[in-house]
Amino acid sequence: MTKRPDQPAATARLDASVQGLIGTALDRIDGPAKVTGTARYAFEHQGDAPPLYGHIVGATIGCGRVEQVDAAAARAAPGVALVIADDPRLVSDSASGSEDALPAYTREIGYFGQPVALVLADTPEAARAAAALIRIDYTIADGRFDPPALHDAADPDPPRPLIPNRSIGDVDAAMAGAAFTVDAVYTTPHHMPAAMEPHATTAWWEGDRLTVHTSAQGLSGTQRMIAGSMGVPREQVRILSPFVGGGFGGKTGVVVEAVLAAMAARETGRRVKIALLRRQVAHLVHRRSETHQHVRLAADAEGRLTAIAQESIVSQKPGRGFIEPVAFGSLSLYAAPARRFTQALVHVDLPAASAVRAPGEAVGSFGLEIAIDELAEKLGIDPIELRRRNEPENDPMSGKPFSSRQLLACYEEGARRFGWERRSPVPAIRRDGRWWIGHGMAAAFRGNFTVESRARVTLAPDGRATVETDMTDIGTGTYTILAQVAGEMLGLPARDVAVVLGDSALPVSAGSGGSFGAGSSGSAVALACQTIVERLAERMGVEPDAMTLKDGHAIAGNRRVPLADLLGGEALSVEGHATPGAHTRSVAQASYGAHFCEVAVDAVTGEVRVRRMLGVFDCGRVLNLKTTRSQMIGGMIWGIGYALGEEGVIDARTGQFVNPDFGEYHIPVHADVPHLDVHFVGEADGWANEVGAKAAGELGIAGAGAAVANAIYNACGVRVRDMPITLDKLIAGLPEA
Amino acid sequence: MKSFDYARADSAEAAVADGGSEGTKFIAGGTNLLDLMKLQVETPARLIDISRLDLASVEATEAGGLSIGALVPNADLAAHEVVRRDYPVLSRALLAGASGQLRNKASTGGNLLQRTRCYYFYDTTSACNKRAPGSGCAAIGGFNRIMAVLGTSDQCIATHPSDMAVAMAALEATVVTLKADGDRRRIALADFHRLPGDTPHIETVLEPGELITHVELPPAPKGRQVYRKVRDRASYAFALVSIAGIVAVEDGRIASAALAFGGLAHKPWRDPAVEAALVGHTPGDAAFAVAADALLADARGFGSNDFKIPLARRTLIATLRELTA
């Protein structure tokens, strides 16, 4: 394990793992509730009186102005209770940043699907049918719907980037004097955060107090923005998201349906439910920006990089702040004296761009890690060997030491497990019947962050514990890992720890996002538990270090006392407060990994099938082997998805998504996902946070698509630099079949 | 979804007597119709549920073929032992379509009548002559990756999405119907679907209220059978190009050939010129190239579907090699 000078006591107790709970492959403690249907999601809170159902009516143009709205027929339609059309009570867009409220209603249309009306009816079907009767007259303007066509006018230094433009040394000079170079453009399309559970809200008022069941990744910002939009103090708004059917970044903000449900509930005095249709999710939530990446690599004759540049252009809707941080995962991956990472921005009249699973790394690794593969081929050395030769000693951007970095171990262990030595260095050599067979790999990188997070842990008089925080479990396993952290700290089996999440009345957490949820909320729980441990030690009359907690007993010397006896009939309740801490600024922190992939490419049709995939990861302490493994597998499936299929297609004439459903937005189906193997090489990183866990979730995505792409090249010798790698792009380069 | 009336038919005769009125549709599995109703692409005023009619059996015909009831689920038909033995091209085509759950629910008759998956047909805010006659075709000049390259018109470039129908076209199946007046009709599958022309909203030759009761297959054909479906993912994706091929080789020459194509046109595509280029010839790339030339002589891409032309050529040649190896 990696220790820091002031090793926290909580970390030491987890390291010791006396209870033997931390890190084990414990089944999800919320699993039975989910499979029996007793876990209720946002749309399933029906109430006693029949609710009203809302349907959002969006603009059917991508740019222009609403001139007139005729909702008379909708108001007269069967089952309709209320139609709010072309009205300042509506909102015009979702929000995903630090806003205090959602943007106000406007007649100026800036993206296809922008809300123009809300229909409330006795059934969702009636609301939807009535919505079709609303007539909207527009003045249509020429929209900016095709980002590449706008690249000449890109802002080279846009305000408020997530990562600032950085330039160190002279990349141009290094390119001019290099023995080997790669200079290529890589492009990726719009991606959708397509969670299984669409965005949905049930809202009602009791007096001036609002209750909102919604599907959110983080409750604090949701509460702030809904309260702000309703013009009430946030204390009067309670947000509940105990169960969330996937987020993928799409639920990091507040989507219009939540505010519209709250508003409509106030207007009608009734419980209001609104769920986005699958086709609305594409337009009303947000997209991952398409990217245009100009990657340049320069290397000397031995394969040591002398320059790395990744200059990208992305798009955003005017007035929104998120700029896809393409180079996020590239900054610190390889040593090279000259380094340049920039992002330019074009403004478009499209749905807002924001966080979609592994912002930056997912798509940025596609450009950089294919370029590295191309350089290895030019140098005639193995792609892993090239990466080894360019492994930096310290963070090449800041010069700081790494808190822990087991990337070389990921390469080594991965190569051994995968059988990398059997890969042909020459592409288009291996055949299996009609299939070309190829192997590829890529590095994975994900920055680690700790975000301020609070949790309350209560030890009841009977010695059982309850963990309470407004943290969410979006399918990742939060319930389970927090039970494991508390159980390990307090010496309790998992069945004696209850976890209550997803209620804004509880202590404020980091929320789920940025792969910081487990480390941050876990640390808050560990800190609360550490204080409880100290109080129990006082009652035992020993120093905390001299006391062991196991199976509901405190053990010191030759005494073994049940916790219930120590508690003496009173509960012990403590709030833990995790913060990044000053120490985190003295080291560079990240998680690492290596993906290995075998693909088959049909020599006739160019169809690609992934045959097997292995990911080896260093994400610090693994809190639960099963849920962490599941997250990495999920990330690798995302890699298969964006490498081979995912492409949100915008019709450049209208600015609308052409394929906003799972029929035509191609995420992988079971038949596309072969055996996926996951292995962890990391160890607890004391610098990262109190639980020693580094970023996990998004790590599995970073580099995964590039590994698939590199395997495709190795299989058939066709290099595709434009994601997704669909068969049309391959047959163009394949020999006559 | 618009409100609609629902009636359950007790007999095929009752269904057709009732089925011809304006805005009435039959519903069986509903795997396509209900989706389209939710989107208000389809807005029937009335549904007649035919799912309980006695049309769910597969029986041998006197001619030595097979009679398939219109309500036989796709999953059952694919698994039927006679289909698997004598008509493997049909079994494979069925299994290449949809998903397990959908195949359990989808009926034989409904499969023939499923609507196109054109992106713009599904989007009620777009122009579509098939959904809203006279409104135009947004797919022309738009994104048309999955659209047709053969038999298109300036009104519509949609494809027919069925895999099953492509195999049935190669097998020279016959659609048997019951009309409102009680008459039965036998329609060759090749004539059942229409090209878009100026009326892309009229997709088959069925008359109002006419009900498919059976599909008949002739006796098992000679030769080898192959169904090859090329698609964007391994399952649950419609064909970019598909080929149902039945070829017999005798004495070193191609004795008979039946080839039908999916993903290329508004209907399962058959072209006698393709088969003429093969029959009587020695199997080999020379003959296959002539067949591919014949198939694609009039093919026309619309931008994002241009790749279908070389893809069809490659797939046809490879499939013919497999059929004659």
Side-chain angles (χ1 to χ4, degrees):
Chain A
M1 59 205 68
T2 312
K3 292 192 176 181
R4 66 182 216 235
D6 54 336
Q7 181 78 350
T11 311
R13 202 160 280 269
L14 294 173
D15 288 343
S17 190
V18 171
Q19 185 65 31
L21 188 56
I22 200 74
T24 58
L26 181 69
D27 288 343
R28 288 168 194 274
I29 61 173
D30 51 325
K34 284 185 173 168
V35 298
T36 56
T38 52
R40 286 197 293 164
Y41 290 76
F43 204 66
E44 299 177 309
H45 296 270
Q46 196 70 5
D48 296 329
L52 286 174
Y53 294 85
H55 181 83
I56 299 166
V57 182
T60 57
I61 63 168
C63 186
R65 183 179 162 77
V66 171
E67 297 297 351
Q68 197 178 326
V69 180
D70 178 0
R75 290 192 172 99
V80 170
L82 180 66
V83 177
I84 301 172
D86 188 27
D87 187 299
R89 289 173 290 179
L90 300 168
V91 288
S92 64
D93 199 0
S94 306
S96 59
S98 54
E99 297 90 335
D100 289 324
L102 269 59
Y105 176 75
T106 170
R107 287 185 154 194
E108 303 299 327
I109 299 299
Y111 66 100
F112 189 96
Q114 183 176 321
V116 177
L118 177 69
V119 179
L120 296 151
D122 295 336
T123 65
E125 292 81 8
R128 203 161 158 182
L133 302 174
I134 294 180
R135 294 284 158 259
I136 307 171
D137 293 332
Y138 306 97
T139 300
I140 297 174
D142 288 334
R144 297 162 292 181
F145 303 138
D146 185 19
L150 304 162
H151 282 174
D152 288 346
D155 178 352
D157 203 10
R160 301 191 310 279
L162 289 166
I163 49 172
N165 288 345
R166 294 288 299 274
S167 198
I168 300 171
D170 189 338
V171 170
D172 294 339
M175 289 292 288
F180 295 94
T181 61
V182 170
D183 184 335
V185 169
Y186 304 84
T187 52
T188 69
H190 304 287
H191 288 154
M192 301 179 192
M196 186 72 86
E197 179 202 23
H199 297 66
T201 296
T202 301
W204 68 89
W205 293 77
E206 289 158 287
D208 61 359
R209 305 192 74 82
L210 170 64
T211 302
V212 180
H213 283 271
T214 191
S215 190
Q217 290 182 228
L219 268 53
S220 172
T222 301
Q223 184 192 42
R224 183 189 70 245
M225 287 189 266
I226 291 177
S229 300
M230 291 295 99
V232 299
R234 56 188 297 172
E235 296 75 30
Q236 288 172 216
V237 179
R238 186 174 180 196
I239 309 294
L240 293 150
S241 300
F243 298 103
V244 178
F248 309 125
K251 295 170 183 171
T252 47
V254 174
V255 175
V256 291
E257 112 284 344
V259 169
L260 293 177
M263 179 274 287
R266 183 159 66 185
E267 295 297 326
T268 60
R270 295 180 57 183
R271 184 177 292 226
V272 171
K273 300 171 68 167
I274 305 179
L276 295 189
L277 309 181
R278 179 61 62 194
R279 299 176 75 84
Q280 290 179 318
V281 171
H283 292 107
L284 291 175
V285 181
H286 60 240
R287 65 196 164 93
R288 186 207 301 279
S289 172
E290 84 300 329
T291 72
H292 177 281
Q293 309 172 28
H294 181 200
V295 178
R296 289 179 291 162
L297 301 175
D300 65 18
E302 281 75 48
R304 271 180 289 273
L305 288 166
T306 54
I308 305 175
Q310 187 170 28
E311 295 159 289
S312 56
I313 310 174
V314 301
S315 70
Q316 181 57 290
K317 182 175 178 281
R320 288 289 284 258
F322 186 95
I323 300 172
E324 178 76 15
V326 174
F328 218 174
S330 309
L331 295 168
S332 300
L333 202 44
Y334 301 113
R339 321 173 66 79
R340 184 172 166 75
F341 301 100
T342 64
Q343 290 163 114
L345 184 71
V346 296
H347 276 132
V348 290
D349 301 303
L350 294 175
S354 189
V356 175
R357 200 79 166 132
E361 293 101 336
V363 287
S365 63
F366 186 80
L368 179 65
E369 289 296 286
I370 295 175
I372 290 285
D373 201 63
E374 297 195 48
L375 182 65
E377 188 184 29
K378 287 187 176 183
L379 281 154
I381 62 176
D382 184 89
I384 292 179
E385 178 56 27
L386 175 62
R387 288 174 171 86
R388 277 198 196 103
R389 289 182 194 179
N390 292 285
E391 176 71 2
E393 202 166 315
N394 290 315
D395 176 15
M397 298 306 289
S398 66
K400 292 177 188 174
F402 296 109
S403 65
S404 62
R405 178 168 165 130
Q406 295 296 321
L407 183 53
L408 293 179
C410 293
Y411 296 149
E412 192 175 330
E413 187 63 17
R416 189 182 68 75
R417 287 170 177 262
F418 187 75
W420 181 251
E421 78 283 356
R422 292 195 295 277
R423 167 188 179 263
S424 164
V426 181
I429 292 288
R430 271 182 212 282
R431 280 293 282 263
D432 176 4
R434 69 181 215 228
W435 302 94
W436 293 105
I437 306 298
H439 303 91
M441 61 83 57
F445 177 101
R446 170 73 203 176
N448 180 65
F449 310 95
T450 299
V451 174
E452 186 173 11
S453 203
R454 295 172 194 266
R456 182 165 55 239
V457 178
T458 302
L459 206 49
D462 66 357
R464 294 176 194 225
T466 301
V467 175
E468 295 171 295
T469 165
D470 81 349
M471 183 63 189
T472 53
D473 185 331
I474 61 172
T476 45
T478 314
Y479 279 104
T480 313
I481 59 156
L482 295 187
Q484 285 174 285
V485 169
E488 189 63 64
M489 289 294 300
L490 300 175
L492 296 172
R495 65 172 181 276
D496 286 343
V497 183
V499 180
V500 182
L501 302 180
D503 181 343
S504 64
L506 300 176
V508 175
S509 72
S512 297
S515 298
F516 50 64
S520 302
S521 66
S523 291
V525 171
L527 285 168
C529 290
Q530 181 59 29
T531 303
I532 292 176
V533 168
E534 287 162 8
R535 295 199 187 155
L536 293 172
E538 278 173 28
R539 296 178 190 193
M540 285 287 281
V542 297
E543 288 299 309
D545 290 351
M547 181 184 70
T548 300
L549 294 171
K550 190 168 193 303
D551 295 332
H553 290 73
I555 304 158
N558 58 1
R559 287 179 298 147
R560 185 169 185 273
V561 184
L563 292 184
D565 291 358
L566 280 185
L567 290 162
E570 281 182 25
L572 201 51
S573 190
V574 172
E575 188 167 295
H577 181 198
T579 57
H583 67 275
T584 58
R585 290 194 291 274
S586 59
V587 289
Q589 292 185 39
S591 295
Y592 304 91
H595 293 279
F596 295 81
C597 179
E598 176 177 308
V599 301
V601 180
D602 188 301
V604 172
T605 63
E607 288 168 289
V608 177
R609 299 290 178 256
V610 176
R611 290 201 163 181
R612 63 190 175 104
M613 211 166 166
L614 163 70
V616 180
F617 303 104
D618 161 22
C619 52
R621 189 198 307 279
V622 172
L623 298 173
N624 179 313
L625 193 57
K626 188 174 186 178
T627 58
T628 312
R629 181 175 178 277
S630 293
Q631 285 218 54
M632 305 327 270
I633 285 176
M636 291 159 75
I637 295 170
W638 268 77
I640 295 170
Y642 69 69
L644 300 181
E646 290 189 51
E647 179 177 19
V649 178
I650 293 281
D651 190 317
R653 300 169 301 182
T654 60
Q656 72 168 310
F657 278 108
V658 177
N659 58 339
D661 62 37
F662 288 161
E664 294 300 334
Y665 181 81
H666 287 153
I667 58 175
V669 296
H670 283 292
D672 293 300
V673 182
H675 179 72
L676 303 179
D677 205 5
V678 170
H679 183 71
F680 296 103
V681 298
E683 52 189 14
D685 184 337
W687 293 90
N689 46 51
E690 274 68 16
V691 294
K694 298 192 291 185
E698 291 158 306
L699 179 64
I701 302 171
V708 176
N710 291 336
I712 291 171
Y713 174 74
N714 182 252
C716 68
V718 181
R719 182 69 79 178
V720 178
R721 300 185 183 87
D722 175 38
M723 195 193 275
I725 305 174
T726 45
L727 59 83
D728 48 305
K729 297 171 190 172
L730 289 170
I731 59 170
L734 286 174
E736 278 288 309
Chain B
M1 186 186 278
K2 275 196 163 167
S3 289
F4 56 90
D5 292 330
Y6 170 89
R8 188 181 294 165
D10 295 327
S11 67
E13 290 70 21
V16 296
D18 219 13
S21 53
E22 182 76 22
T24 298
K25 289 222 167 230
F26 297 130
I27 185 165
T31 59
N32 189 210
L33 181 58
L34 285 178
D35 284 356
L36 293 170
M37 286 170 67
K38 289 179 194 167
L39 295 171
Q40 293 189 200
V41 172
E42 294 266 21
T43 52
R46 184 152 182 266
L47 290 183
I48 297 178
D49 185 347
I50 57 165
S51 64
R52 287 168 175 80
L53 300 185
D54 184 20
L55 294 171
S57 59
V58 180
E59 287 161 15
T61 64
E62 285 180 15
L66 213 55
S67 172
I68 303 160
L71 294 175
V72 174
N74 289 177
D76 291 9
L77 186 57
H80 194 276
E81 63 171 332
V82 176
V83 175
R84 286 172 56 112
R85 186 188 66 211
D86 294 341
Y87 310 95
V89 65
L90 177 57
S91 185
R92 288 178 195 168
L94 283 159
L95 294 175
S99 65
Q101 295 95 324
L102 288 168
R103 292 194 295 268
N104 284 339
K105 203 71 186 132
S107 67
T108 302
N111 189 317
L112 291 175
L113 294 175
Q114 64 181 302
R115 311 294 306 273
T116 184
R117 262 59 178 189
C118 173
Y119 322 104
Y120 300 96
F121 173 73
Y122 267 71
D123 172 31
T124 50
T125 71
S126 290
C128 174
N129 288 322
K130 187 181 277 299
R131 175 173 32 75
S135 61
C137 174
I140 297 172
F143 182 66
N144 45 49
R145 177 178 176 80
I146 59 174
M147 309 302 169
V149 295
L150 290 169
T152 57
S153 75
D154 59 5
Q155 304 286 308
C156 181
I157 61 172
T159 57
H160 193 268
S162 173
D163 292 295
M164 182 196 81
V166 177
M168 286 180 170
L171 287 165
E172 293 175 354
T174 300
V175 181
V176 182
T177 70
L178 182 66
K179 295 208 291 181
D181 58 9
D183 282 357
R184 291 197 166 271
R185 259 218 294 180
R186 297 177 59 83
I187 307 162
L189 195 109
D191 301 328
F192 181 78
H193 296 99
R194 296 159 46 106
L195 287 178
D198 293 333
T199 53
H201 60 292
I202 305 172
E203 294 171 346
T204 70
V205 298
L206 288 179
E207 295 169 9
E210 190 171 3
L211 177 72
I212 300 172
T213 59
H214 300 83
V215 175
E216 281 186 19
L217 301 181
K222 282 189 300 180
R224 207 177 274 185
Q225 303 181 21
V226 163
Y227 189 73
R228 178 74 169 99
K229 178 176 181 179
V230 184
R231 48 183 150 178
D232 272 329
R233 59 183 167 191
S235 179
Y236 200 63
F238 295 96
L240 296 168
V241 171
S242 72
I243 301 177
I246 306 168
V247 174
V249 179
E250 289 171 9
D251 303 327
R253 291 184 183 277
I254 296 172
S256 63
L259 293 157
F261 301 85
L264 297 180
H266 196 255
K267 59 184 285 187
W269 189 260
R270 280 199 70 164
D271 184 344
V274 177
E275 287 143 13
L278 295 167
V279 174
H281 293 269
T282 309
D285 283 1
F288 302 160
V290 175
D293 288 342
L295 172 70
L296 298 165
D298 297 324
R300 179 193 164 199
F302 293 85
S304 31
N305 72 344
D306 292 350
F307 73 95
K308 282 191 172 185
I309 298 170
L311 180 64
R313 180 181 187 84
R314 298 171 71 96
T315 309
L316 174 57
I317 290 172
T319 303
L320 288 170
R321 284 188 197 136
E322 188 182 344
L323 281 161
T324 59

